Amino acid sequence: MDTVFTMSDTSLSLLERLRLQPDAESWRRLVDLYTPLIHRWLHRHAAPPADADDLTQEVMTVVVRELPQFRHNQQRGAFRNWLRTITVNRLRVLWRSRQARPLATGDSDFLKMLDELEDPNSGMSRLWDQQHDQHVARRLMELAEPQFEPSTWRAFRRVVMDGVKAALVAAELNMSVNAVLLAKSRVLSRLRQEMEGLTD
């Protein structure tokens, strides 16, 4: 049977499951979802390469520790902003620990970048938001694909990602138009459910 989750069928999003019904599979999914994003962001924009691995682990440790207390305030991007704040805080700790010796990026450039990342209206924060949402959507699709029948996923991908009309996809895959539309609906519903609270 098609399912994104290995736990029993539920309408809870990933964030809600981790707050209300935490289980090993949901924690693994969160770590698999966010570790590559944090590492790539730190490596490209913020941390000296030698520190990116350790900082990624520190950020994820704080996320896992503090997530049970996180309360979504129903504002756009609340979780994304919370994650950005944790990342900035860990980077400030790094900067303070390195005050005796300059960072490879240069102290003034590094502090300017942190100030921009902290400001929700800066170009750096908008870049964070954009890259976060793109990564989460792409990664959740990668994590979800194996949980669906191949024909269901192919129908979803052709209609939603490739923009092919349902009737053409039905002919391609030897399915009824109704089955193609059902596949699209089923996958989109699960992805929206999983992403709730993580992206806008």
Side-chain angles (χ1 to χ4, degrees):
M1 186 171 99
D2 283 341
T3 177
V4 167
F5 313 129
T6 57
M7 61 184 291
S8 61
D9 192 21
T10 175
S11 63
L12 295 177
S13 69
L14 177 60
L15 284 181
E16 289 173 316
R17 290 198 313 273
L18 288 168
R19 270 200 328 104
L20 303 174
Q21 302 171 3
D23 61 275
E25 172 64 20
S26 295
W27 284 117
R28 183 195 60 75
R29 186 174 288 273
L30 181 81
V31 170
D32 287 351
L33 181 60
Y34 277 103
T35 298
L37 172 71
I38 298 298
H39 188 270
R40 187 166 54 251
W41 178 269
L42 291 171
H43 185 72
R44 285 184 185 168
H45 302 287
D51 294 311
D53 290 343
D54 289 342
L55 276 168
T56 300
Q57 190 168 14
E58 289 177 25
V59 169
M60 291 309 299
T61 298
V62 173
V63 168
V64 168
R65 185 180 69 232
E66 300 296 329
L67 187 60
Q69 284 75 48
F70 173 76
R71 296 293 179 268
H72 201 291
N73 61 11
Q74 306 310 312
Q75 298 294 315
R76 286 172 57 96
F79 181 81
R80 186 179 60 204
N81 294 339
W82 180 73
L83 183 65
R84 190 183 73 234
T85 299
I86 291 171
T87 304
V88 169
N89 289 341
R90 297 316 305 164
L91 285 165
R92 287 200 186 280
V93 168
L94 171 69
W95 179 79
R96 285 193 296 271
S97 74
R98 299 283 175 87
Q99 280 186 317
R101 62 185 200 278
L103 290 166
T105 54
D107 278 354
S108 61
D109 290 344
F110 187 75
L111 287 176
K112 182 179 178 208
M113 183 276 304
L114 285 181
D115 290 340
E116 285 186 23
L117 191 55
E118 201 165 33
D119 175 3
N121 300 311
S122 73
M124 181 69 79
S125 286
R126 286 193 297 274
L127 180 63
W128 167 279
D129 293 350
Q130 177 187 15
Q131 291 182 353
H132 170 278
D133 287 0
Q134 289 172 350
H135 169 84
V136 168
R138 184 175 58 248
R139 186 70 180 128
L140 282 176
M141 282 195 292
E142 290 169 0
L143 293 171
E145 181 176 358
Q147 306 302 321
F148 285 91
E149 291 293 327
S151 59
T152 300
W153 191 263
R154 280 195 300 272
F156 158 76
R157 187 164 193 87
R158 291 292 285 147
V159 173
V160 174
M161 307 301 291
D162 300 337
V164 179
K165 295 208 176 294
L168 292 175
V169 174
E172 281 178 20
L173 300 179
N174 198 23
M175 299 169 69
S176 70
V177 173
N178 190 52
V180 169
L181 294 174
L182 185 60
K184 171 190 168 185
S185 175
R186 186 179 294 154
V187 176
L188 281 177
S189 175
R190 291 292 190 161
L191 288 173
R192 284 186 186 120
Q193 177 181 316
E194 189 83 339
M195 283 192 284
E196 186 181 341
L198 296 178
T199 68
D200 294 334

